[in-house]
Amino acid sequence: MSKATSNLDLPAILGNLTAYRRKGSDKLILRRPGGPSKKQFLEDPGFDMTRKNLSDFGACNKMTNSFRHAISPLLHLGDPNFTGALNQLFRIIQRKPSGTERGVRSVLLSHHREIVKGFTLNRDHPFEGILRDYIPIQTDRQQLTATITLPAITPGINLRLPWKAPYYRIVLSLGITSDIIHGERGFESTYTGFGHGHPARTEWHHQEANAEGTQLTVQLTGQVPDNASFVAGIGIEMGMPDRYGEIVHVKYAGSARILEVF
């Protein structure tokens, strides 16, 4: 692997090389193409296990993508790389049915919802280290609802914010995801409805002021099959007044976690 310090180096040295930039570096990185050809990968018996492993990995990617849609109101609060850790959980779920042939392993989240419950989207500032209190949640699959009861919040006691933005608010999210099963057309979702998460938010509160306890409820609509899973998550957003005095969300500040999968 070589590095070029400016774009002027490219015409003379590119040839059959691939040039790209990596986040956190101002240098161009050049790579030679390598590995097997596409035909070898698709047809060579020696790559049979690799093809099967990649097929299973693709099923986990579909599961992760569906899950991300279900928690869409919280995505901006998570770390940039939390998806990798989430994908690993789905790999664990995928391996649960013993004896299943590689390459056609389904991801049956509806059978192992407890594995994803409590998943945090943040490593350095997990939600439970910010709002340090028990948050009960009531769920109802028949009514398609999730309700949380927030405690009275006292800064410095059960609220410790690591960010300097003056305002915060709590977000409840509820969405729907599904199992990923292998069928005649490959891996498919068992739920084709609108799975994007729906939010409910508190008012903005100043981070130095006490806040009274309250409830947040999200209710969805539609018909949901038994093998679909509801995903309830909670997050905290930070806010800053803009030039017109309206409080807007601050980027790269906030935290979220999965409260319940049911």
Side-chain angles (χ1 to χ4, degrees), residues 19-262:
Y20 66 95
R21 293 187 184 275
R22 178 178 296 166
K23 186 177 181 180
S25 173
D26 60 352
K27 298 182 181 296
L28 283 167
I29 299 176
L30 307 176
R31 292 183 58 188
R32 293 182 182 276
S37 67
K38 181 178 180 181
K39 182 177 181 180
Q40 285 178 309
F41 178 78
L42 293 177
E43 300 178 2
D44 193 322
F47 290 98
D48 182 60
M49 188 59 68
T50 302
R51 290 192 291 268
K52 290 180 178 179
N53 288 336
L54 286 178
S55 177
D56 285 346
F57 187 73
C60 288
N61 283 342
K62 286 190 174 184
M63 182 72 252
T64 299
N65 185 56
S66 175
F67 198 91
R68 283 175 57 91
H69 283 303
I71 60 171
S72 53
L74 305 177
L75 293 180
H76 65 292
L77 302 176
D79 292 341
N81 58 350
F82 81 85
T83 297
L86 185 61
N87 209 20
Q88 289 179 9
L89 293 182
F90 294 136
R91 289 285 286 170
I92 293 173
I93 293 175
Q94 189 180 50
R95 296 189 183 106
K96 284 292 183 179
S98 60
T100 307
E101 182 182 352
R102 291 196 184 195
V104 294
R105 291 172 172 172
S106 299
V107 186
L108 304 178
L109 175 62
S110 62
H111 295 191
H112 306 282
R113 292 168 177 147
E114 71 285 352
I115 291 179
V116 188
K117 178 182 176 180
F119 177 79
T120 179
L121 281 65
N122 309 84
R123 184 183 63 179
D124 294 334
H125 302 297
F127 183 88
E128 56 270 27
I130 296 172
L131 184 53
R132 304 183 177 190
D133 214 323
Y134 172 63
I135 302 175
I137 179 170
Q138 295 177 329
T139 61
D140 190 324
R141 281 187 66 95
Q142 298 300 319
Q143 298 297 322
L144 286 69
T145 62
T147 299
I148 59 172
T149 302
L150 295 172
I153 296 176
T154 303
I157 302 299
N158 61 351
L159 178 69
R160 299 186 180 181
L161 295 169
W163 305 284
K164 295 181 179 180
Y167 295 94
Y168 74 91
R169 65 182 177 185
I170 306 298
V171 184
L172 171 65
S173 169
L174 182 63
I176 302 172
T177 187
S178 69
D179 295 343
I180 301 297
I181 62 172
H182 189 271
E184 295 181 356
R185 296 185 296 178
F187 288 106
E188 297 178 317
S189 171
T190 59
Y191 175 69
T192 57
F194 185 79
H196 284 72
H198 291 254
R201 298 180 175 91
T202 66
E203 299 294 328
W204 289 107
H205 300 288
H206 196 280
Q207 67 162 289
E208 296 182 357
N210 294 341
E212 296 181 355
T214 187
Q215 285 190 335
L216 291 176
T217 298
V218 178
Q219 182 168 23
L220 305 181
T221 59
Q223 299 293 324
V224 181
D226 291 340
N227 56 8
S229 298
F230 292 83
V231 183
I234 190 171
I236 185 166
E237 293 179 325
M238 302 303 297
M240 180 81 71
D242 63 12
R243 59 188 296 184
Y244 303 106
E246 182 179 353
I247 301 175
V248 295
H249 169 250
V250 176
K251 292 183 178 179
Y252 314 118
S255 184
R257 71 187 295 258
I258 306 304
L259 277 180
E260 189 64 83
V261 183
F262 62 99

